[in-house]
Amino acid sequence: VLSSRTAIFATLFTLGVWVGVYLIRKGYTRYLIGFGIKLFLILFSLYSYFPYLKKKVENRSGVSTRSYIWQAGSSIVKENILFGVGTGDIKDNLRVAYKKIGFEEGLAHTYNAHNQYLQTAIGLGAVGLIALLFLFSTLIAEALSTQNILLLAFVILFGLCCITESLLSRQHGIILFCFFSSVLPIFANVPKTAPARFSSRLK
C-alpha cells in the first residue's frame, strides 16, 4: 500500500468527504474542524514515520517516468482515436512509441500505460473509453439512488486510483473490481415494505 501514493491519498480523500457529508447531514457541523485536524495529523504521521513514503513524495518518484509513458501513450491514441490498436497490441505499440521518444527505461521494463483511462483508449479507442466511463458513472448513479455509501466510496476510490495505475489490465485488478461492484450493491438501502405488485404474491 505504501508504494502507491495515489491509493493512500485517494482513500483518505474519499474517507474525508464521506465523514464530512455524514457530519453535515447529522447536524454536527461544529465537529468538522476537529475531524479536519485529525485527518491532517494522520497525513503528517504517514509522512513522518514512513521513510519510504516520505522519500517517494520528496523525490517525486514515478512522476517523470509517468510523464514519458503518458506522452508515448497519447501519441498512440492520436493515431488510433476511434477504435484503438486492439487490446492484444497495446504492449507492442507502447514499445514502438517508447523507442521513438528515447525512453529506454520503458523499453527495458515494458511498462503499461500506468493510467487505466489511457490504457483503455490505446486498446479500444474513444469507444472503449466512453464505455469505461459509462460503467463507472452507472455504478455511481446506482449508489446515489440507493444511498449505497460503500459502493459509492469504492467506485470513487477505484476511479481515482485508475489515474496513475492500469488496474484493469491485470487479473487481480479485474477480480477486485468485479467482486466488489457485484457484492456491494447488496448493502443498498432497500425499502422495508415490498412494492404493491409483490406484496399480493406473498399473501
Side-chain angles (χ1 to χ4, degrees):
V1 173
L2 292 178
S3 64
S4 177
R5 291 164 296 180
T6 304
I8 294 174
F9 295 134
T11 300
L12 292 174
F13 172 78
T14 305
L15 178 62
V17 171
W18 182 84
V19 173
V21 172
Y22 177 81
L23 291 175
I24 292 174
R25 291 181 63 181
K26 292 295 183 179
Y28 299 143
T29 308
R30 62 183 181 275
Y31 294 114
L32 280 175
I33 297 177
F35 172 73
I37 294 174
K38 290 179 181 179
L39 186 60
F40 173 78
L41 292 175
I42 291 174
L43 288 171
F44 182 76
S45 298
L46 288 173
Y47 178 79
S48 302
Y49 295 104
F50 293 97
Y52 180 67
L53 179 61
K54 183 177 182 180
K55 180 180 178 181
K56 288 177 69 69
V57 173
E58 291 179 347
N59 295 340
R60 295 172 57 86
S61 176
V63 175
S64 59
T65 298
R66 281 179 172 80
S67 66
Y68 285 113
I69 295 174
W70 294 343
Q71 177 186 344
S74 298
S75 66
I76 299 173
V77 173
K78 291 178 181 178
E79 297 174 1
N80 305 272
I81 187 64
L82 192 56
F83 297 109
V85 300
T87 55
D89 295 325
I90 295 177
K91 184 181 295 185
D92 292 336
N93 278 267
L94 280 173
R95 286 180 59 86
V96 172
Y98 293 155
K99 189 174 182 179
K100 286 183 179 179
I101 64 175
F103 183 38
E104 297 297 332
E105 184 180 350
L107 284 171
H109 296 282
T110 317
Y111 289 138
N112 60 31
H114 275 68
N115 179 303
Q116 184 58 55
Y117 307 105
L118 180 59
Q119 182 93 7
T120 302
I122 295 172
L124 300 174
V127 174
L129 179 59
I130 292 172
L132 178 63
L133 295 175
F134 178 75
L135 173 61
F136 285 168
S137 61
T138 300
L139 288 172
I140 290 175
E142 174 69 16
L144 291 174
S145 64
T146 58
Q147 300 181 19
N148 192 334
I149 301 300
L150 290 176
L151 178 61
L152 180 63
F154 170 73
V155 177
I156 293 176
L157 176 58
F158 194 89
L160 289 174
C161 289
C162 281
I163 296 175
T164 57
E165 299 295 337
S166 298
L167 296 180
L168 297 175
S169 65
R170 296 182 179 179
Q171 184 179 13
H172 61 265
I174 296 173
I175 293 175
L176 174 72
F177 179 77
C178 292
F179 176 78
F180 282 105
S181 61
S182 300
V183 172
L184 291 180
I186 298 174
F187 299 93
N189 288 336
V190 181
K192 296 181 180 179
T193 57
R197 64 176 180 274
F198 293 115
S199 59
S200 59
R201 298 180 184 178
L202 297 175
K203 294 181 180 179

